[in-house]
């Protein structure tokens, strides 16, 4: 009874901090994820620790389910706050980061996993697929502002759209790793089935169902006659319903649900781009995302302080992650942005701030590989290092970047009365 009461009290404190901390940290070189991990560490070191035993290695199903939920909510929020209509030229940075930078990053990380960590081909590829995507949850400090806020420069747009799209685009590489491992054991060919199912069908299903679902929900929200649309309810939790509907229906048809959620949000915006109800939907999604993220990172901090999560930490892991964060991702993104019309300084910021995050835990839980402990320790260390390094640097770097821009970059929001 006492432990349940303590857990409830801790949860209540986390809920309150979810509302208060972002305001307090706004101008400090600290991020909310850093504080959450610190809270988890302090809880374990306190005499009242209720969170011992939350090691993700020992609770993989729970880890997978919680990260799955926070990711899809974050993807809905990311899609809702993009003001820019979808076009090849307007989203050029997104396509470059997705089509060039991410495969290069996966290949680079896989090579490091094979050459430094001693992983097999399949396990190394899984590590690359898990660590390549920019995380939509932890990257919120460097994303665009709320809908119609006007805070959508090239850097913020590129990182927001990349985080929304590459979560779904990483899955083919995850399944390629699994296919290679199965083929090695059975000797059966795998490439044609992988290409047809995991690449062509699942991507097409994710994009198609997401776009169609977003358009239908947009009509039900904004265009039903006699003021009977969902927008008239003013309820923000409609965002959660759209998120789960898009994700669940796509997964039932064996498509990529992560991709469908982001595409559905973008399609919903396209139906009625300037309606104020988008703000309510985004704000609710952001609040749920922040709360879930805080709970997960407090547990992550508790697992770190408990000690066993980094029991297999070695110099090879440290060197690998240093190369991933300082060489592989920045170099791959820089190559992907060659020819993109923006300043070198903005390209450098886009390339550097490829934040690793909670999605990596989800990808890693999709299969069991030989060397699983090394994989988990490497991913955990990558996420911790990214949270600390990027969290310290994001505020001063973005302030410096904004000061170098003309004042006109911040557009006045265009809203129509509702």
């Amino acid at each position: 009874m006492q432990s349940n009461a303590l857990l409830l009290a801790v949860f209540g404190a986390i809920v309150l901090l979810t509302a208060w901390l972002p305001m307090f940290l706004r101008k400090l070189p600290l991020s909310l994820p850093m504080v959450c991990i610190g809270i988890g560490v302090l809880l374990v070191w306190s005499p009242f620790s209720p969170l011992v035993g939350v090691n993700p290695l020992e609770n993989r199903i729970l880890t997978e389910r919680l990260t799955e939920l926070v990711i899809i909510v974050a993807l809905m929020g990311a899609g809702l706050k993009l003001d820019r209509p979808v076009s090849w030229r307007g989203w050029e940075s997104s396509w470059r980061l997705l089509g060039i930078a991410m495969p290069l990053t996966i290949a680079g990380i896989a090579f490091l996993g094979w050459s430094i960590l001693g992983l097999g081909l399949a396990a190394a590829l899984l590590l690359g697929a898990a660590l390549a995507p920019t995380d939509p949850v932890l990257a919120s400090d460097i994303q665009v502002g709320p809908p119609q806020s006007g805070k959508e420069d090239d850097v913020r747009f590129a990182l927001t759209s990349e985080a929304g799209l590459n979560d779904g685009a990483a899955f083919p590489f995850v399944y390629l790793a699994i296919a290679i491992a199965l083929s090695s054991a059975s000797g059966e060919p795998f490439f044609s089935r992988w290409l047809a199912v995991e690449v062509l069908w699942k991507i097409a299903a994710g994009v198609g169902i997401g776009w169609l679902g977003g358009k239908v929900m947009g009509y039900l929200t904004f265009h039903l006659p006699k003021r009977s649309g969902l927008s008239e309810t003013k309820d923000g939790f409609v965002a959660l319903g759209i998120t789960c509907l898009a994700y669940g229906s796509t997964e039932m048809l064996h498509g990529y649900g992560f991709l469908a959620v982001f595409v559905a949000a973008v399609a919903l915006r396209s139906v009625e781009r300037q309606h104020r109800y988008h703000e309510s939907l985004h704000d609710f999604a952001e609040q749920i995302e922040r709360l879930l993220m805080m709970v997960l990172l407090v547990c992550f901090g508790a697992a770190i302080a408990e000690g066993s999560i980094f029991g297999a930490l070695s110099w090879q892991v440290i060197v690998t992650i240093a190369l991933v964060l300082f060489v592989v991702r920045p170099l791959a993104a820089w190559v992907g942005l060659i020819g993109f019309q923006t300043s070198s300084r903005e390209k450098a910021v886009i390339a550097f701030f490829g934040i690793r995050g909670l999605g990596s835990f989800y990808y890693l839980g999709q299969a069991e590989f030989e060397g699983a402990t090394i994989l988990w320790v490497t991913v955990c260390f990558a996420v911790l290092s990214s949270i600390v390094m990027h969290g310290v640097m994001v505020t001063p770097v973005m302030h410096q970047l904004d000061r170098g821009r003309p004042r006109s970059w911040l557009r006045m929001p265009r809203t129509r009365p509702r």
Side-chain angles (χ1 to χ4, degrees), residues 102 105-110 122-133 170 173 356 375:
M102 194 176 75
T105 304
I106 292 174
I109 296 172
L125 183 58
L126 178 64
L127 180 66
L131 288 180
F173 297 96
R356 313 300 91 177
L375 287 171

Side-chain angles (χ1 to χ4, degrees), residues 36-87:
C36 294
I37 291 176
I39 292 171
V41 171
L42 292 176
L43 281 173
V44 170
W45 289 349
S46 74
F48 310 108
S49 172
L51 295 171
V52 173
V54 292
N55 190 327
L57 280 71
E58 300 169 356
N59 301 274
R60 294 185 187 181
I61 294 178
L62 179 61
T63 299
E64 183 180 339
R65 293 282 78 82
L66 289 176
T67 52
E68 181 181 36
L69 180 58
V70 70
I71 291 167
I72 62 174
V73 173
L75 290 171
M76 175 58 65
L80 286 172
K81 61 187 174 184
L82 289 175
D83 293 334
R84 192 177 304 187
V86 178
S87 68

Side-chain angles (χ1 to χ4, degrees), residues 365-413:
Q366 299 304 299
E368 282 287 346
F369 281 86
E370 187 176 349
T373 299
I374 294 298
L375 287 171
W376 276 97
V377 169
T378 304
V379 167
C380 287
F381 186 69
V383 172
L384 177 63
S385 300
S386 181
I387 287 173
V388 173
M389 180 184 71
H390 292 124
V392 168
M393 297 181 66
V394 63
T395 299
V397 167
M398 293 308 294
H399 283 174
Q400 183 67 27
L401 196 65
D402 291 343
R403 280 198 292 268
R405 291 194 180 98
R407 293 182 64 86
S408 60
W409 80 272
L410 186 62
R411 309 187 314 270
M412 290 299 292

Side-chain angles (χ1 to χ4, degrees), residues 301-361:
I304 293 172
E306 188 263 338
S308 61
I309 194 171
F310 286 139
L313 185 65
S314 63
W315 69 265
Q316 290 95 335
V317 172
I318 295 172
V319 169
T320 297
I321 296 311
L323 290 172
V324 169
L325 296 179
F326 291 104
V327 179
V328 175
R329 156 65 192 199
L331 184 59
W334 186 269
V335 170
L337 292 171
I338 291 175
F340 178 59
Q341 298 301 310
T342 191
S343 68
S344 296
R345 189 162 70 164
E346 291 190 330
K347 286 182 183 178
V349 174
I350 295 170
F352 182 73
F353 282 99
I355 299 175
R356 313 300 91 177
L358 299 176
S360 299
F361 296 143

Side-chain angles (χ1 to χ4, degrees), residues 10 97 149:
V10 169
L97 291 171
S149 66

Side-chain angles (χ1 to χ4, degrees), residues 19-42:
W20 180 73
L21 279 175
M23 178 179 62
F24 180 74
L25 298 172
R26 191 170 298 154
K27 296 185 178 180
L28 296 178
L30 293 172
S31 66
L32 184 59
M34 292 171 63
V35 175
C36 294
I37 291 176
I39 292 171
V41 171
L42 292 176

Side-chain angles (χ1 to χ4, degrees), residues 36-291:
C36 294
I37 291 176
I39 292 171
V41 171
L42 292 176
L43 281 173
V44 170
W45 289 349
S46 74
F48 310 108
S49 172
L51 295 171
V52 173
V54 292
N55 190 327
L57 280 71
E58 300 169 356
N59 301 274
R60 294 185 187 181
I61 294 178
L62 179 61
T63 299
E64 183 180 339
R65 293 282 78 82
L66 289 176
T67 52
E68 181 181 36
L69 180 58
V70 70
I71 291 167
I72 62 174
V73 173
L75 290 171
M76 175 58 65
L80 286 172
K81 61 187 174 184
L82 289 175
D83 293 334
R84 192 177 304 187
V86 178
S87 68
W88 183 257
R89 188 168 185 82
W91 285 52
E92 181 183 355
S93 60
S94 316
W95 314 136
R96 288 172 170 272
L97 291 171
L98 191 70
I100 302 174
M102 194 176 75
L104 288 176
T105 304
I106 292 174
I109 296 172
F111 176 76
L112 295 177
W114 171 77
S115 60
I116 298 178
L117 299 179
L119 298 172
L121 175 61
L125 183 58
L126 178 64
L127 180 66
L131 288 180
T134 296
D135 190 77
V137 182
L138 303 185
S140 59
D141 287 342
I142 201 169
Q143 291 184 357
V144 303
Q148 304 174 76
S149 66
K151 202 170 186 180
E152 194 172 281
D153 58 281
D154 283 339
V155 171
R156 290 179 172 89
F157 176 82
L159 290 169
T160 305
S161 57
E162 181 197 12
L165 288 166
N166 65 10
D167 267 300
F171 268 113
F173 297 96
V174 172
Y175 289 118
L176 179 59
I178 296 172
I180 291 173
L182 293 175
S183 179
S184 298
S186 66
E188 295 181 1
F190 66 88
F191 185 78
S192 58
R193 185 187 185 282
W194 169 79
L195 181 63
V197 177
E198 313 297 348
V199 179
L200 299 179
W201 166 251
K202 290 192 173 184
I203 290 178
V207 173
I209 297 170
W211 189 259
L212 178 62
K215 289 290 188 178
V216 170
M217 291 307 304
Y219 176 80
L220 296 177
T221 301
F222 301 112
H223 294 316
L224 283 181
K226 298 181 180 179
R227 301 180 64 86
S228 57
L230 281 169
S231 60
E232 297 300 322
T233 67
K234 313 297 184 185
D235 290 326
F237 62 74
V238 168
L240 185 60
I242 297 172
T243 300
C244 295
L245 183 59
Y247 183 77
S249 58
T250 305
E251 288 290 319
M252 284 192 296
L253 293 173
H254 304 288
Y256 290 131
F258 285 179
L259 191 56
V261 170
F262 179 75
V263 171
V266 173
L268 179 68
R269 280 298 309 272
S270 71
V271 172
E272 179 59 74
R273 191 165 299 280
Q274 297 179 25
H275 200 291
R276 290 181 180 176
Y277 186 54
H278 290 302
E279 299 174 30
S280 299
L281 296 174
H282 167 265
D283 290 348
F284 183 85
E286 185 179 60
Q287 290 164 7
I288 296 297
E289 170 199 339
R290 199 189 318 155
L291 177 60

